[in-house]
């Protein structure tokens, strides 16, 4: 309703056309009565002509008014549906990642598509039918009462028998419709998940298993839809039966009144036409009521997305960050547990100061809390205790848009969108000039392969950049970060899965990107962070050691063990180091395989 009320002009146009069409329709039975009572005689031939001329004028007026009503209502429905889609998607973009950990992406997409489509059908078609039949029912009921008060009073006795089942079954249909839409969303969620991982599905020969699982999900959706359809069918049958049965009964009594001379045949015909209009309107409303209940179920699901609020609260009057930006980062006694894993501490009394322009590497085993540092610095979550500050301002007090503009993020799993190369590079600066985009691509060693594409920077990339190699995607993401030109760089090391040539190009691009910036890098391969100003060794959510590569190796401890493990594994032992014939043979075979590789 709030969305509909945004467009009072279109609502007024639809209402005026609706009233005109209703008046024209309700005037037709009056012409029929005049024709039957006064027109069938040679003396009143001119009256018959006048009556039929009036009926023709009414028919034309009814057609024009109905077309106008359809135009306004349908256009209004399309407009409101577009606003609804935009509003839901816009609100989704504002929600924190925590929301998407509990709601599957496929289900959200189902709500954006299937549910909004259902609402659109109701607003553009069913709403028009509902308004028309509501006005016709009310108008015909009034005219029937004026035409034959006694017969109308008897019809009123049947109204509760019609309305009460309509309300009762309507509530049942609404609940069943919600369940049907939920099961339909399950099918979309499962299909989306399987298709996004199609290579994994096929490589593990999982097609047959997933096909069976999807059949089961679809079958559950069918069962839910069948229950909903069955309830609607019962509701329609009851309403139509009661409505027309009441007409037949009243018509019988009216016929007896005509025989007794208490009523003319024309009056009875006029009343019967009004009664038929009432009955058909009620029957149409009963069907439309079921569709409205379906739309209500869809609207509930959409409302959950439209009115969902982010767990990350933004102050009404946020604190402004200092200008120019310094690139200072500070964690002060931070405690954090992920909402879905409250029993495990991701960070425990974690404190870290990163000076402007300093390069700090975070190393440690899986689950040490390295990625959590990035998540909190981008304020995807808020810590349960302690503070996270950028340029001296607590992130809880700042506007997220403000401090995120000061951060560029290069993830390990590259994110490339299915738009053009230009739009991908300019993702963080949509207003960047062509020269700036090209300069960023050249600095990231991406210009060469981009220029070889069919349409250069206008080339459209496939979904998630599937047309690019891993190294090309990484260089494109680095170009995006270069163009962003943010004082703080978060780098989740992205070279571990690349071949030697691509790694060399990406590493050179990263060094250019890191120059003059505050850099936090998550290091999976220690060989890439030996030049860091400071290395932070993390374990179980805390800092266990820090220093330079050389000092930490000399100190031993966790970093020393990690360094020894990585560097020793990277150097294959010579056969001369072995002491037994068996190990000599094993070493020779391994050396030959290593050389061939």
């Amino acid at each position: 309703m709030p969305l509909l009320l945004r467009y009072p002009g279109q609502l007024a146009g639809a209402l005026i056309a609706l009233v005109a069409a209703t008046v024209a329709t309700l005037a037709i039975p009056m012409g029929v009565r005049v024709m039957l009572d006064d027109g069938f005689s040679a003396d009143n031939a001119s009256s018959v002509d006048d009556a039929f001329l009036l009926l023709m004028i009414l028919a034309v007026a009814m057609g024009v008014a109905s077309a106008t009503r359809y135009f306004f209502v349908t256009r209004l429905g399309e407009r409101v549906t577009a606003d609804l889609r935009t509003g839901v998607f816009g609100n989704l973009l504002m929600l924190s990642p925590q929301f998407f950990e509990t709601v599957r992406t496929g289900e959200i997409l189902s709500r954006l598509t299937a549910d909004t489509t259902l609402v659109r059908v109701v607003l553009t078609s069913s709403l028009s039918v509902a308004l028309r039949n509501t006005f016709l029912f009310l108008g015909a009921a009034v005219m029937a009462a004026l035409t034959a008060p006694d017969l109308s009073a008897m019809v009123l006795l049947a109204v509760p028998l019609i309305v009460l089942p309509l309300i009762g079954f309507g509530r049942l249909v609404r609940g069943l419709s919600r369940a049907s839409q939920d099961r339909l969303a399950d099918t979309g969620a499962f299909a989306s998940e399987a298709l996004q991982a199609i290579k994994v599905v096929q490589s593990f020969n999982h097609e047959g298993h997933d096909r069976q699982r999807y059949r089961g999900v679809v079958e559950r959706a069918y069962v839910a839809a069948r229950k909903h359809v069955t309830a609607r069918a019962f509701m329609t049958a009851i309403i139509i039966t009661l409505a027309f049965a009441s007409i037949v009964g009243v018509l019988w009594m009216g016929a007896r009144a005509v025989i007794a001379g208490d009523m003319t045949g024309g009056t009875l015909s006029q009343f019967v036409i009004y009664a038929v209009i009432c009955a058909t309107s009620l029957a149409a409303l009963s069907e439309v009521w079921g569709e409205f209940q379906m739309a209500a179920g869809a609207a509930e699901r959409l409302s959950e997305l439209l009115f969902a609020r982010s767990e990350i609260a933004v102050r009404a009057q946020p604190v402004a960050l200092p200008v120019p930006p310094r690139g200072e980062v500070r964690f002060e006694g931070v405690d954090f547990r992920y909402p879905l894993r409250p029993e495990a501490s991701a960070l425990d009394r974690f404190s870290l100061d990163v000076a402007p322009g300093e390069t700090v590497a975070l190393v440690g085993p899986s689950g040490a809390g390295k990625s959590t540092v990035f998540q909190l610095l981008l304020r995807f979550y808020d810590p349960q205790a302690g503070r996270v500050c950028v340029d001296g301002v607590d992130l809880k007090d700042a506007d997220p848009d403000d401090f995120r503009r000061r951060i560029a993020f290069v993830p390990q799993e590259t994110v490339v969108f299915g738009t053009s190369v230009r739009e991908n590079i300019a993702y963080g600066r949509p207003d960047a000039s062509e020269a700036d985009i090209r300069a960023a691509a050249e600095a990231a060693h991406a210009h060469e392969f981009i220029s070889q594409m069919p349409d250069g920077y206008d080339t459209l990339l496939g979904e998630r950049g599937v047309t690019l190699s891993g190294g090309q995607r990484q260089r494109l993401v680095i170009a995006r970060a270069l163009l962003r030109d943010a004082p703080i760089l978060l780098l989740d090391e992205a070279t571990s899965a690349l071949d030697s040539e691509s790694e060399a190009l990406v590493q050179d691009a990263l060094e250019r990107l890191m120059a003059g910036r505050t850099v936090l890098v998550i290091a999976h391969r220690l060989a890439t962070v030996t030049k860091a100003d400071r290395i932070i060794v993390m374990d179980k959510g805390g800092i266990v050691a820090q220093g330079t590569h050389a000092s930490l190796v000399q100190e031993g401890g966790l970093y020393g063990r990690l360094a020894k493990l990585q560097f020793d594994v990277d150097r294959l032992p010579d056969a001369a180091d072995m002491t037994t014939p068996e190990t000599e043979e094993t070493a020779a075979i391994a050396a030959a395989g290593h050389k061939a590789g």
Side-chain angles (χ1 to χ4, degrees):
M1 189 58 68
L3 294 175
L4 286 169
L5 294 177
R6 291 182 183 178
Y7 305 98
Q10 294 187 43
L11 278 174
L15 185 61
I16 292 172
L18 187 61
V19 171
T22 303
V23 170
T25 303
L26 296 178
I28 291 177
M30 299 176 65
V32 173
R33 185 196 67 183
V34 172
M35 182 182 64
L36 291 176
D37 287 346
D38 304 329
F40 288 117
S41 67
D43 298 334
N44 295 324
S46 60
S47 298
V48 173
D49 295 338
D50 293 340
F52 274 97
L53 178 61
L54 177 61
L55 289 175
M56 183 62 69
I57 294 173
L58 289 175
V60 172
M62 183 173 61
V64 172
S66 297
T68 305
R69 166 190 57 80
Y70 173 81
F71 171 77
F72 277 112
V73 173
T74 303
R75 190 176 72 167
L76 180 60
E78 294 284 1
R79 180 69 267 168
V80 169
T81 303
D83 291 348
L84 181 61
R85 280 196 178 107
T86 303
V88 170
F89 183 74
N91 191 59
L92 286 171
L93 294 179
M94 303 303 295
L95 299 179
S96 69
Q98 181 179 340
F99 176 83
F100 299 95
E101 292 178 358
T102 56
V103 181
R104 293 179 296 178
T105 304
E107 181 177 349
I108 293 175
L109 294 178
S110 175
R111 297 189 188 190
L112 275 175
T113 54
D115 288 1
T116 51
T117 298
L118 182 57
V119 171
R120 182 186 67 81
V121 169
V122 169
L123 289 179
T124 56
S125 176
S126 302
L127 179 61
S128 177
V129 174
L131 290 174
R132 174 179 178 273
N133 284 283
T134 300
F135 274 60
L136 281 177
F137 173 76
L138 295 175
V142 171
M143 294 302 297
L146 295 175
T147 303
D150 295 340
L151 296 181
S152 298
M154 300 191 65
V155 171
L156 288 176
L157 297 176
V159 170
L161 299 177
I162 299 173
V163 173
L164 292 178
L166 189 67
I167 296 175
F169 272 98
R171 292 177 178 175
L172 175 62
V173 168
R174 181 171 181 170
L176 292 175
S177 174
R178 171 65 190 261
S180 177
Q181 291 298 111
D182 286 341
R183 299 293 75 75
L184 182 62
D186 291 341
T187 66
F190 182 85
S192 175
E193 186 177 53
L195 294 178
Q196 286 179 359
I198 188 63
K199 293 180 180 179
V200 176
V201 171
Q202 294 178 352
S203 64
F204 280 90
N205 305 110
H206 214 258
E207 300 94 328
H209 182 76
D210 281 359
R211 190 182 301 113
Q212 291 296 329
R213 286 187 60 193
Y214 187 71
R215 182 179 290 114
V217 175
V218 171
E219 189 64 24
R220 287 192 291 273
Y222 164 73
V223 170
R226 186 181 62 193
K227 292 179 180 178
H228 161 252
V229 170
T230 302
R232 279 195 63 183
F234 271 109
M235 181 178 70
T236 302
I238 291 174
I239 300 304
I240 292 178
T241 301
L242 292 174
F244 281 93
S246 64
I247 290 178
V248 172
V250 172
L251 183 59
W252 171 69
M253 299 189 65
R256 292 182 63 85
V258 171
I259 294 173
D262 297 331
M263 182 184 296
T264 67
T267 301
L268 177 61
S269 298
Q270 178 178 329
F271 176 81
V272 168
I273 294 175
Y274 284 135
V276 169
I277 291 176
C278 285
T280 53
S281 297
L282 268 181
L285 284 173
S286 69
E287 295 187 18
V288 173
W289 183 250
E291 295 176 359
F292 269 94
Q293 294 306 312
M294 289 180 63
E300 287 178 357
R301 288 158 45 87
L302 287 169
S303 295
E304 292 174 1
L305 301 182
L306 186 61
F307 299 109
R309 291 295 171 258
S310 175
E311 293 80 2
I312 304 301
V314 180
R315 292 184 181 275
Q317 300 293 330
V319 177
L321 271 67
V323 179
R326 300 193 301 268
E328 177 187 1
V329 174
R330 182 185 306 128
F331 286 75
E332 299 178 355
V334 171
D335 287 339
F336 177 70
R337 299 170 184 266
Y338 284 99
L340 296 182
R341 302 192 304 272
E343 73 286 349
S345 179
L347 291 180
D348 184 17
R349 306 302 298 169
F350 180 83
S351 296
L352 175 66
D353 288 334
V354 183
E358 184 181 13
T359 297
V360 174
L362 305 177
V363 302
S366 297
K370 305 184 295 296
S371 296
T372 303
V373 172
F374 283 15
Q375 302 267 15
L376 296 182
L377 188 53
L378 287 164
R379 209 192 171 195
F380 294 153
Y381 302 90
D382 282 333
Q384 281 82 34
R387 300 199 313 160
V388 182
C389 303
V390 169
D391 288 342
V393 177
D394 191 336
L395 298 188
K396 290 183 179 180
D397 299 328
D399 185 347
D401 287 343
D402 195 3
F403 66 74
R404 285 173 184 165
R405 288 192 188 96
R406 305 188 176 201
I407 300 174
F409 180 39
V410 179
Q412 181 182 12
E413 296 183 2
T414 55
V415 177
V416 177
F417 301 95
T419 56
S420 68
V421 173
R422 176 183 290 102
E423 289 175 293
N424 268 282
I425 295 176
Y427 194 78
R429 269 183 59 195
D431 58 343
S433 66
E434 187 71 23
D436 289 339
I437 293 173
R438 177 164 180 164
E442 290 175 345
H445 295 295
H447 176 72
E448 181 178 354
F449 76 80
I450 293 173
S451 61
Q452 294 174 357
M453 291 182 172
D455 298 316
Y457 285 83
D458 293 320
T459 302
L460 294 178
L461 304 176
E463 185 179 5
R464 301 189 306 277
V466 293
T467 58
L468 302 177
S469 69
Q472 290 173 335
R473 287 198 299 270
Q474 275 298 348
R475 281 176 275 168
L476 209 60
V477 171
I478 292 171
R480 180 191 300 163
L482 280 164
L483 188 64
R484 175 87 161 174
D485 195 24
I488 300 173
L489 172 63
L490 305 183
L491 179 61
D492 193 347
E493 188 195 351
T495 61
S496 58
L498 301 178
D499 59 83
S500 299
E501 182 179 358
S502 296
E503 181 177 357
L505 292 172
V506 171
Q507 195 64 47
D508 182 67
L510 287 174
E511 290 179 3
R512 299 186 186 192
L513 177 61
M514 295 164 65
R517 292 178 170 85
T518 303
V519 180
L520 274 77
V521 52
I522 294 177
H524 304 286
R525 296 177 61 181
L526 303 185
T528 62
V529 296
T530 55
K531 298 179 182 179
D533 298 322
R534 188 159 39 119
I535 298 173
I536 305 297
V537 185
M538 297 182 63
D539 190 25
K540 297 180 181 178
I543 298 176
V544 296
Q546 58 180 305
T548 63
H549 172 72
S551 65
L552 289 173
V553 169
Q554 185 176 6
E555 182 180 319
L558 176 58
Y559 186 86
R561 293 196 303 273
L562 292 174
K564 185 177 186 302
L565 177 64
Q566 288 197 18
F567 293 132
D568 283 354
V569 166
D570 288 342
R571 180 184 66 82
L572 190 70
D574 293 329
D577 296 333
M578 307 303 174
T579 58
T580 67
E582 292 78 10
T583 54
E584 289 177 6
E585 181 181 358
T586 303
I589 294 173
H594 181 71
K595 182 177 180 181

